[in-house]
Amino acid sequence: MKIIVNDQAQEVSASTLAALIDELGYAGARIATALNGQFVPKTARAHVALDAGARVEIVAPMQGG
């Protein structure tokens, strides 16, 4: 299915947000996620279904000074 991840089109097989994170190699990373502009907490990702055309944002915190 085609979705948009961080403003880039992607063809993915994941059906949930948690599965997408695993598929894209973010498993275990400290990240924040949003689906179609709505924040999705880590505890809800396994229950959030993805549909074709979904817009997903994955953000990792940056360190620095």
Side-chain angles (χ1 to χ4, degrees):
M1 129 178 73
K2 287 189 178 183
I3 63 171
I4 307 297
V5 179
N6 293 345
D7 294 323
Q8 293 190 3
Q10 298 261 348
E11 183 72 33
V12 299
S13 61
S15 61
T16 66
L17 186 54
L20 176 69
I21 290 167
D22 288 343
E23 185 175 327
L24 296 179
Y26 288 101
R30 301 188 93 178
I31 57 171
T33 56
L35 175 63
N36 298 324
Q38 297 288 341
F39 172 73
V40 179
K42 181 178 182 177
T43 56
R45 293 175 188 158
H47 307 289
V48 175
L50 296 176
D51 296 317
R55 297 187 67 83
V56 177
E57 295 294 326
I58 301 173
V59 181
M62 300 290 288
Q63 294 184 0

